[in-house]
Amino acid sequence: MKELDRLTTTELSAWVQQAKIQAKQGRVIDRIPQLAKADPGWFAVHICCKSGKTISFGDAACIFPLMSVIKALSLLYLLENFGTEIVFAWVGVQPSDAAFNSLEQLVSDRGRPRNPMINSGAITLADKLPGKDATERTLLFCKWLNQLAGCQLYLDEVMLASVRLTRSTANEAIAHYLAEVGYIENIKTALDTYNQICCISGRVEDLALLGKLLAFENSLLKSQNRRIVNAVMSICGLYEASAEFAVRIGLPMKSGIGGGLVAIVPGEGAIACYSPSLDNIGNPVGAIAFVEVLAQELQLSVFG
C-alpha cells in the first residue's frame, strides 16, 4: 500500500483533472437559491495525513455549507453526550434503499428512522442536541467541533435564510410524522435545529480536520464512538448508493448537497473534497470520482 503522505502534486493534479471531467455529468442543485450560485467547475481537495503532512489542491478558498456531511458529526456529538444505548433507541443503523428524504420509507418502518445519515434520522437527532433552542444548540455544537478539530466553522446566515425561504415540504412531513409516533418532541425546534446545523460552513480544510477526528485516536473522543460513526458512514453515508461505493471504494464517506465529501482512511488520514456538481441521488460526482481513483491507486480500501 502506498501511503497517503507520499502523494505527489503531479499525481494529484492528474486525478483532479479526471474528476473535473467526470463532474460535468452532474449538476449544481437549484432547489436552494444560495446553493445554485456555485460554479459547477469548482473543485478543491485537502488531505490530512498521519505524519502531520497536509496536501491542498484546487479551489481551497471556497466556502460551502456542510449540509448532510454534518449528520456524521451530530451522531458523534450525541454518542459522546448520551452513549450508544440512548442514541440507538432514537435511530437505527440500517442502510436505506429509498431517497434521503423519503416519507414512505419512514411510514413503512413505523416511524423509526432507519439511520442517522438520512433526513428522518438527522431530524430526530437534531431534536436531541443539547441546548434550549435551535440557535443555542447550533452554537454549542459548532463550538464543540471547532475546539475539538481546530477548524473554523461558522453558521452561514445567508445560506440559512435561503434554506428557510425554500421550505422543504418533505422535511416538514417527516417531522410531523416523527412527532406523531413520538420520536421527536418539538417539530419547530427539531426542524430549525436541523436547518441551522446543515448551514454550518467552512472550507475544504475545515472538512478535512473534522475527518481527522474520525481517522485517528483522540484522547478527547471515545474510540468506540469513532468506530461506530465510521461504520455507519460506510453503510449509509452516500444514501442508497452506499453499498455500491463500499464495494468500489471501500472507505467510510459522507456527502452533502452543498458539494462537500469527506472520506476516512482509518489510521492513515482524511480526504476532504468540494465539488458542487451532484448526481441524481445527491452525491458530488467529481468528489467521488477523485476519491475512487485515489483509493484504487493507493489501495486504501479498509477491506484490504
Side-chain angles (χ1 to χ4, degrees):
M1 177 169 131
K2 182 174 174 187
E3 288 177 5
L4 265 181
D5 59 7
R6 297 212 195 123
L7 266 181
T8 66
T9 323
T10 320
E11 287 172 316
L12 260 189
S13 175
W15 297 340
V16 166
Q17 289 320 310
Q18 265 177 277
K20 285 176 89 160
I21 293 165
Q22 294 277 332
K24 290 178 179 163
Q25 295 170 15
R27 62 186 192 91
V28 174
I29 191 166
D30 52 13
R31 190 170 50 80
I32 298 165
Q34 197 60 21
L35 279 181
K37 292 180 179 177
D39 181 330
W42 284 339
F43 192 94
V45 61
H46 190 96
I47 299 171
C48 292
C49 309
K50 186 160 74 176
S51 62
K53 177 180 171 180
T54 60
I55 305 159
S56 209
F57 200 90
D59 304 298
C62 286
I63 291 174
F64 56 93
L66 296 185
M67 291 290 163
S68 284
V69 179
I70 204 71
K71 294 171 180 172
L73 297 144
S74 64
L75 172 61
L76 180 68
Y77 182 54
L78 289 168
L79 286 169
E80 288 287 318
N81 274 282
F82 298 109
T84 50
E85 209 170 306
I86 290 175
V87 173
F88 292 124
W90 296 328
V91 290
V93 291
Q94 288 73 38
S96 164
D97 46 15
F100 59 80
N101 59 357
S102 168
L103 176 66
E104 292 72 25
Q105 186 175 66
L106 186 64
V107 172
S108 73
D109 292 339
R110 297 194 178 88
R112 177 169 166 79
R114 248 208 211 185
N115 68 67
M117 305 291 160
I118 53 174
N119 295 13
S120 57
I123 291 166
T124 300
L125 294 189
D127 184 61
K128 320 295 181 198
L129 291 186
K132 67 176 190 300
D133 58 20
T135 305
E136 187 181 69
R137 290 174 184 192
T138 306
L139 194 71
L140 288 170
F141 180 34
C142 193
K143 197 173 157 186
W144 181 79
L145 290 171
N146 283 339
Q147 284 174 342
L148 208 59
C151 49
Q152 296 176 311
L153 301 167
Y154 70 98
L155 174 62
D156 183 339
E157 298 281 1
V158 177
M159 187 63 69
L160 180 60
S162 192
V163 166
R164 284 175 171 159
L165 193 71
T166 49
R167 283 172 48 193
S168 166
T169 50
N171 285 349
E172 286 176 4
I174 284 169
H176 276 91
Y177 191 72
L178 287 167
E180 209 177 289
V181 292
Y183 272 95
I184 66 174
E185 282 170 37
N186 188 314
I187 295 171
K188 191 174 175 294
T189 309
L191 281 173
D192 197 16
T193 306
Y194 175 74
N195 286 338
Q196 287 199 41
I197 65 172
C198 283
C199 293
I200 289 175
S201 300
R203 294 181 170 84
V204 72
E205 178 186 0
D206 297 307
L207 184 50
L209 288 168
L210 292 173
K212 233 173 115 174
L213 292 175
L214 295 167
F216 304 117
E217 286 292 330
N218 179 326
S219 59
L220 301 169
L221 291 172
K222 292 191 180 79
S223 299
Q224 181 199 12
N225 293 339
R226 282 181 38 249
R227 281 196 297 271
I228 289 169
V229 175
N230 282 329
V232 176
M233 281 165 72
S234 294
I235 54 176
C236 309
L238 300 177
Y239 312 121
E240 63 269 40
S242 301
E244 181 197 334
F245 288 115
V247 172
R248 275 169 50 183
I249 299 174
L251 294 175
M253 293 190 279
K254 185 71 197 93
S255 64
I257 59 165
L261 177 85
V262 65
I264 312 301
V265 191
E268 281 290 322
I271 305 153
C273 295
Y274 169 60
S275 173
S277 210
L278 310 177
D279 63 18
N280 56 3
I281 288 173
N283 291 318
V285 182
I288 289 180
F290 174 79
V291 174
E292 184 166 5
V293 70
L294 192 73
Q296 284 170 357
E297 294 287 343
L298 304 187
Q299 297 177 334
L300 297 177
S301 171
V302 296
F303 303 111

